[in-house]
Amino acid sequence: MDSQQLCFLTATELARCIRRREVSCEEVMRAHIDQIERVNPAVNAIVTFVPEQALASARAADTALVGRHAPAPEAVPLYGLPIAHKDLVLTKGIRTTFGSPLFRDFVPEADALIVERFKAAGAIALGKTNTPEFGAGSQTFNTVFGATRNPYDPSKTCGGSSGGAPWRWPAAWCRSPTAAIWAAACATRPASATSQGSGHRPAACPP
């Protein structure tokens, strides 16, 4: 299986491949890093990228998987899967800006609860996805990172406020026109954030 094929597997399929040792966590991570490096310059969805940190975590996961005390599948259902968190949630050691120049260089010392739970389930963070400032907007742009673009049609918005989060899902899976940069063909699992409800601007609208 080549690296681009790995990026189009579902989470369930990818986790199964890792468990069966058909592919390593490091190979999975490298495939997604390569895909992000190919696609992200055109769409600006991943705004903080930590590939070396992610690869180190993937190698550690591979070592643990072949050890005597390998974790049980039911305890870590997301084992080795790459994930990117919306830039509204605290990620220990990874810059979190909330899309605001006030927090341009803020690096949290603790994880948000959702991040802790993803880690406990075995997922490996490789970066943060773009968002309007403080998540307050139906289009994804801010003065720190600029706009996230729609890969289908750059004249259309990518939606929001999670415009940077869903862009990685393969186009074949996209059934809704909302929050729609679901098509740039990189299957890292997006972790978004909803506080008091969430409004998603249809991506078919002009920016």
Side-chain angles (χ1 to χ4, degrees):
M1 186 180 302
D2 64 33
S3 61
Q4 285 199 309
Q5 286 178 306
L6 288 175
C7 292
F8 282 92
L9 295 178
T10 67
T12 301
E13 291 168 338
L14 199 53
R16 186 182 301 120
C17 287
I18 290 172
R19 279 290 170 188
R20 293 175 176 173
R21 301 181 191 174
E22 296 170 359
V23 64
S24 69
C25 298
E26 182 176 359
E27 288 172 323
V28 169
M29 188 61 69
R30 285 191 182 278
H32 286 81
I33 288 170
D34 289 347
Q35 186 74 348
I36 289 169
E37 290 175 343
R38 279 192 294 270
V39 176
N40 198 57
V43 293
N44 189 39
I46 301 285
V47 290
T48 295
F49 191 33
V50 290
E52 293 305 319
Q53 179 178 325
L55 282 170
S57 296
R59 294 186 195 106
D62 283 330
T63 299
L65 195 59
V66 299
R68 179 180 299 178
H69 303 292
E74 61 273 14
V76 282
L78 304 180
Y79 197 84
L81 300 190
I83 192 168
H85 297 283
K86 189 174 180 179
D87 201 20
L88 295 179
V89 296
L90 299 176
T91 44
K92 182 178 180 180
I94 301 176
R95 180 176 57 168
T96 302
T97 74
F98 310 100
S100 172
L102 296 174
F103 293 91
R104 182 186 301 270
D105 300 311
F106 174 56
V107 179
E109 296 181 358
D111 286 321
L113 178 60
I114 187 174
V115 177
E116 290 180 354
R117 290 180 173 176
F118 272 117
K119 283 184 175 179
I124 300 173
L126 51 63
K128 306 297 285 287
T129 63
N130 207 12
T131 178
E133 186 171 9
F134 298 117
S138 61
Q139 299 184 40
T140 298
F141 69 93
N142 57 63
T143 60
V144 182
F145 301 114
T148 296
R149 292 174 289 277
N150 188 319
Y152 286 123
D153 183 348
S155 72
K156 301 295 190 293
T157 178
C158 66
S161 63
S162 299
W167 72 282
R168 295 167 307 281
W169 296 93
W173 300 351
C174 184
R175 296 292 181 267
S176 168
T178 58
I181 351 195
W182 285 48
C186 181
T188 50
R189 279 64 197 160
S192 186
T194 297
S195 53
Q196 298 178 6
S198 180
H200 295 281
R201 178 182 176 87
C205 297

